[in-house]
Amino acid sequence: MRFNRPLVGGAAAVLLLLIVAGIALTRSGGPSTARADVMAAGLYNPPHSAPDFMLRGSNGSDVTLSRFRGKIVLLTFGFTSCAAVCPTNLATLAQTRKALGKTADRVQVVFVTVDPDRDGVAQLRDYVSAFDPTFVGATGTPEELAAARGKYGVTATKEGRGEDYAFAHTSSIFLIDPAGKLRAMMPFGHEAKDFVHDINLVLAS
């Protein structure tokens, strides 16, 4: 779980953080510590059907996991005013898609907000598209979002008062396979190469 203070400066600050995160990830490259036949993420054993939900998407359509059947879904929760953790996660996933080349078409990133009061459809669209135009943001009522979080054991605790509030929230990323099975959960801090490694293993299985 990470504590995330609000991001100041809007889209420009998001892009700056994206650049900085990209530089950091590039410098930390090198061989993955994961074995070739073992996933870097923590596995669900056995895999089970990923709990579905229906939320409003930043692309103008309803977001359900079943809609992306046939693709690997990388599901993450956060908020657009997040200072560091959320932009780092999304920057890593953008690098992952870039590194995958043509295989990237078989991967869908879904970013579910924990902050429905500030993260409407338009705000989410501008935010996620700054990282990758294929990313989909999702929002809904507080009750709908709480239900979606509960299905994945995700916590989101509001911290602070007034306009400067933030959230302490689960920062792991869930990997759902093309058949809709919840296969793994990647803790915060892993590099793009670990996601590429795991995605290739799942697609080859």
Side-chain angles (χ1 to χ4, degrees):
M1 183 181 295
R2 299 278 175 163
F3 181 77
N4 301 292
R5 296 194 177 280
L7 178 66
V8 179
V14 170
L15 289 172
L16 177 60
L17 279 168
L18 173 59
I19 292 169
V20 171
I23 292 172
L25 288 168
T26 300
R27 288 178 176 171
S28 62
S32 174
T33 57
R35 282 174 44 192
D37 59 341
V38 177
M39 291 181 68
L43 299 180
Y44 287 91
N45 192 14
H48 59 272
S49 295
D52 210 346
F53 48 74
M54 180 179 289
L55 298 170
R56 295 194 303 280
S58 60
N59 58 357
S61 301
D62 288 337
V63 174
T64 63
L65 294 179
S66 55
R67 177 182 169 198
F68 302 117
R69 200 60 48 81
K71 293 187 175 184
I72 286 179
V73 174
L74 299 175
L75 174 66
T76 182
F77 295 78
F79 60 113
T80 65
S81 298
C82 178
V85 171
C86 302
T88 297
N89 270 344
L90 292 178
T92 300
L93 296 180
Q95 284 202 335
T96 299
R97 289 194 79 257
K98 185 176 181 179
L100 284 168
K102 293 181 179 179
T103 306
D105 291 339
R106 302 183 65 183
V107 176
Q108 178 62 57
V109 172
V110 176
F111 177 80
V112 178
T113 185
V114 300
D115 186 12
D117 290 338
R118 293 185 295 198
D119 291 348
V121 169
Q123 174 72 8
L124 280 168
R125 181 178 60 247
D126 292 344
Y127 184 75
V128 298
S129 64
F131 296 93
D132 187 301
T134 70
F135 287 5
V136 174
T139 189
T141 66
E143 294 77 17
E144 290 169 338
L145 293 170
R149 292 195 302 273
K151 293 176 180 180
Y152 288 87
V154 169
T155 61
T157 304
K158 191 173 182 180
E159 303 280 357
R161 298 180 179 179
E163 296 181 357
D164 292 332
Y165 69 85
F167 287 89
H169 66 88
T170 302
S171 55
S172 299
I173 298 172
F174 300 89
L175 190 155
I176 300 164
D177 71 17
K181 297 289 187 180
L182 185 57
R183 294 286 295 272
M185 181 174 66
M186 188 77 83
F188 175 78
H190 277 260
E191 302 173 27
K193 62 186 178 183
D194 290 332
F195 285 93
V196 171
H197 172 268
D198 286 3
I199 287 167
N200 284 330
L201 279 181
V202 170
L203 290 176
S205 63

